[in-house]
Amino acid sequence: MAADMSLLPRAEDLDDLLERDRDDVLSVALATDPTTPENQAVRPAYLIWLENALRDLLRDLPSPRRRVARPLAQRVTAYVRTWKPAARGLALFAAPDLWRVYPVQVPLSNRVRFGLPDVTALLEALDACPPYAILAVDTRHARLAVGYLGNASLLAEETLDLHTEHWRQTAGRRPTAARRMGEGAGRGTQRDPFEARRRAHVQAFWEHVAAETARLLAERGLGALVVGGPEEAAAAVARALPPQARRALVGTVPLPRYEGLAELLQRTVQAAVEAERRRDRELVAGVLEAQGTRAVLGWPAVDEALRQRQAHLVVVEPSRLAHHPELPRLVRRAGARLELVHPDAAAPLAACGGIAAVLKSPSTSAG
């Protein structure tokens, strides 16, 4: 499904929310998948859940905070009542001078919170569907798209125009009948100059596509690439990628010609997700290996490392964010990075509460 990427949450948007020093934000995440029967009713399930959750939230707030939260809850409810669901998830952030709406094509967990901005649901979605580049290429066409949060958006498109009607069919001495028939395959056998010229143009096209793909990957900060197309084309472009872009290549998949963006996403997303899961497993293994020297395990140790600004990277299993909703804010303010890892990859961290931190090197901490 093609989408306007400007409507989707970016990492910078979440950072901006986390940086806001305020506790008057109503954060809402809803599972709005329009294909589920319960969301096709006149009063869809997500609206019923929202109304009940907001009623309970307002009831439990102290009176001064309830006066701030009530008009925000009314605005959110009015918006959701008239919203025509075309996305599987909806996130909203509302405050007296703040209003942000993010529809996403991945399921979100139902959540409501008033206070500090709660970006947990969006962080989980970003981990489940990390952004990646999709390159679909054949002998005449190439398209580069971004897959992100269940959407695909076209970045660039190239077409090879050969204009072969202006080419001479042969060059030099005409081949003998034996050569035309493919006989006498010794030294005298030569490829048809017309075909050789066509192949040279196609190879140059693939090399150009590889160079442009590398440029756009660097420009957009995309760290994963899936190449698809007929086997020969996909393999040729993969070989022609510059070293840094080749390191971003996580898979090649067979693709029919002229697939739409939705089909490209559907055929390539599994390769991207599997690559992310491999990365999660490697990350957790590295953390465990560094335990006792450059890594600490468990919430008390991680919390202390963050408050002392000693943490470089915090690794957490997504469900643990519900127990520590302040974690993204703490990580951001400590100058560290937060990495959510898939529950399967995080299994070795279960004994320490599914959370760990890699510490800064002594020279970095001293600086």
Side-chain angles (χ1 to χ4, degrees):
M1 176 178 295
D4 180 355
M5 288 293 183
S6 66
L7 300 178
L8 300 178
R10 303 166 300 168
E12 307 91 90
D13 297 325
L14 303 191
D15 287 344
D16 177 65
L17 286 167
L18 292 172
E19 278 296 301
R20 292 174 178 265
D21 191 16
R22 59 190 306 169
D23 64 352
D24 61 348
V25 178
L26 179 62
S27 305
V28 176
L30 297 172
T32 60
D33 190 345
T35 65
T36 59
E38 59 268 27
N39 284 338
Q40 296 173 359
V42 176
R43 281 175 49 78
Y46 62 82
L47 176 59
I48 296 173
W49 183 91
L50 175 66
E51 291 174 340
N52 291 336
L54 288 176
R55 183 186 63 244
D56 295 343
L57 173 73
L58 292 172
R59 181 194 61 213
D60 295 339
L61 286 175
S63 180
R65 290 180 61 74
R66 188 184 307 125
R67 285 195 294 270
V68 178
R70 188 182 301 280
L72 302 177
Q74 291 170 343
R75 183 180 183 186
V76 167
T77 302
Y79 180 87
V80 174
R81 281 175 179 163
T82 60
W83 187 63
K84 302 299 182 185
R88 299 175 66 190
L90 180 67
L92 304 97
F93 299 90
D97 57 351
L98 174 71
W99 178 256
R100 294 190 187 178
V101 179
Y102 298 114
V104 294
Q105 289 298 341
V106 293
L108 298 181
S109 303
N110 287 330
R111 292 176 66 88
V112 166
R113 184 185 180 197
F114 180 69
L116 296 172
D118 183 2
V119 299
T120 300
L122 287 179
L123 285 175
E124 291 176 351
L126 285 168
D127 176 68
C129 299
Y132 70 101
I134 308 165
L135 175 62
V137 63
D138 56 35
T139 57
R140 299 290 297 273
H141 303 91
R143 285 177 295 164
L144 184 66
V146 176
Y148 181 50
L149 289 177
N151 294 272
S153 179
L154 188 65
L155 282 183
E157 190 166 10
E158 296 275 357
T159 300
L160 174 61
D161 295 319
L162 289 177
H163 302 296
T164 57
E165 66 274 13
H166 301 305
W167 292 6
R168 295 183 61 189
Q169 294 299 305
T170 59
R173 185 167 58 89
R174 291 179 60 81
T176 65
R179 287 173 182 163
R180 286 198 302 269
M181 296 300 293
E183 300 171 6
R187 298 181 195 174
T189 302
Q190 298 180 357
R191 296 180 62 188
D192 182 343
F194 182 90
E195 174 62 14
R197 184 176 177 184
R198 187 194 70 82
R199 295 285 303 174
H201 278 274
V202 171
Q203 182 61 39
F205 173 66
W206 286 338
E207 292 172 0
H208 168 73
V209 167
E212 280 298 291
T213 297
R215 183 184 68 80
L216 286 169
L217 286 179
E219 184 180 288
R220 297 297 182 110
L222 294 166
L225 167 68
V226 179
V227 176
E231 183 178 354
E232 181 188 17
V237 172
R239 286 194 301 269
L241 288 169
Q244 185 170 352
R246 197 177 305 130
R247 286 192 290 271
L249 180 65
V250 298
T252 58
V253 297
L255 287 178
R257 285 182 169 89
Y258 310 122
E259 290 274 62
L261 288 179
E263 288 75 21
L264 289 182
L265 188 72
Q266 183 178 359
R267 290 177 181 272
T268 59
V269 67
Q270 192 58 38
V273 169
E274 288 174 359
E276 181 72 8
R277 298 297 166 258
R278 289 194 299 271
R279 180 174 168 275
D280 286 350
R281 291 192 293 271
E282 292 168 0
L283 181 58
V284 171
V287 168
L288 293 174
E289 187 177 336
Q291 180 185 2
T293 55
R294 287 200 56 224
V296 294
L297 308 184
W299 172 247
V302 171
D303 183 41
E304 178 66 17
L306 287 170
R307 296 185 188 281
Q308 297 297 323
R309 300 183 68 86
Q310 295 176 340
H312 165 68
L313 172 69
V314 175
V315 178
V316 63
E317 192 271 315
S319 69
R320 306 310 300 175
L321 290 177
H323 301 276
H324 307 291
E326 75 279 18
L327 180 61
R329 185 182 180 89
L330 284 175
V331 170
R332 174 71 178 168
R333 296 206 161 183
R337 185 163 59 89
L338 181 64
E339 187 73 38
L340 276 64
V341 294
H342 190 269
D344 292 343
L349 298 176
C352 60
I355 188 169
V358 177
L359 304 179
K360 296 176 181 177
S361 63
S363 59
T364 304
S365 298

